[in-house]
Amino acid sequence: MASPPPENLSRAIDLWREAYRRQMAGELDRAIELYQESIRLCPTAEAHTFLGWTYSFQGRLDEATQECHRAIELDPDFGNPYNDIGVYLMQQDRLDEAVPWLEKAKHARRYEPRQFPHMNLARIHIKRNRWWDALRELEAARQLAPTDQQLARTLHSVRAKLN
């Protein structure tokens, strides 16, 4: 398959960045339109992942998951869609299914913020009262994000459970 012209990729990136701004402003329908336009112009793992994330804001978890699978097909090294699939499964209380996706996210070559899959795995462990496993994941997350105050509070809370 031939690479898209550079101007298409550049325009596609501009579109998904604008879509992201709209998404964060709560303009979900407009964000979806912009992500879809970006994908039509030049499909990227980012646009599919963020389109899926927008669908998840609307409770459309099956569609969100499908977009993440499309992202992985385009770029298996991009970690965000693995984490997102794990989160969507967690939202459906399908915790056992979520774990392998979060593990894949932890090891993805291209992923920011790297602490998220650790934090999500910790949430699963906490829900299951596996405090030592949760502690291990939170400490790994803390190594990756030493200034995250919410993470620090969660870590402190889990440590308190173990004392």
Side-chain angles (χ1 to χ4, degrees):
M1 184 169 147
S3 295
E7 63 272 10
N8 283 8
L9 177 58
S10 177
R11 177 70 180 128
I13 291 170
D14 288 344
L15 285 166
W16 66 253
R17 286 183 176 153
E18 176 61 21
Y20 178 79
R21 282 190 285 280
R22 298 295 182 105
Q23 179 182 355
M24 293 300 101
E27 300 173 34
L28 302 182
D29 291 334
R30 182 63 182 138
I32 289 169
E33 291 170 3
L34 290 166
Y35 285 128
Q36 289 171 336
E37 187 178 340
S38 173
I39 290 166
R40 276 192 297 278
L41 190 58
C42 179
T44 62
E46 291 83 358
H48 280 290
T49 301
F50 286 102
L51 174 57
W53 193 33
T54 307
Y55 286 151
S56 79
F57 284 20
Q58 297 178 326
R60 298 162 62 181
L61 298 181
D62 289 339
E63 290 168 275
T65 301
Q66 289 171 2
E67 290 302 324
C68 287
H69 284 291
R70 289 183 184 109
I72 291 166
E73 287 175 19
L74 287 171
D75 184 356
D77 291 332
F78 186 47
N80 300 58
Y82 297 103
N83 183 73
D84 290 359
I85 289 172
V87 170
Y88 304 150
L89 290 166
M90 289 170 65
Q91 290 173 347
Q92 298 170 68
D93 206 33
R94 294 163 58 187
L95 304 182
D96 289 336
E97 293 174 63
V99 170
W101 291 101
L102 298 170
E103 288 293 341
K104 287 179 183 178
K106 283 176 21 180
H107 302 289
R109 288 196 300 187
R110 192 168 75 85
Y111 184 39
E112 290 298 325
R114 294 205 74 84
Q115 73 271 21
F116 281 10
H118 293 280
M119 293 167 65
N120 288 322
L121 282 163
R123 288 173 46 210
I124 290 173
H125 294 311
I126 289 167
K127 195 169 190 173
R128 293 178 167 169
N129 295 318
R130 294 181 183 163
W131 302 106
W132 289 106
D133 293 330
L135 180 64
R136 185 184 69 249
E137 292 295 344
L138 290 169
E139 286 176 342
R142 186 75 170 159
Q143 289 286 319
L144 297 165
T147 61
D148 185 320
Q149 292 306 307
Q150 178 61 41
L151 174 56
R153 285 188 290 276
T154 304
L155 184 56
H156 177 76
S157 173
V158 168
R159 284 181 178 146
K161 292 269 187 202
L162 295 170
N163 286 329

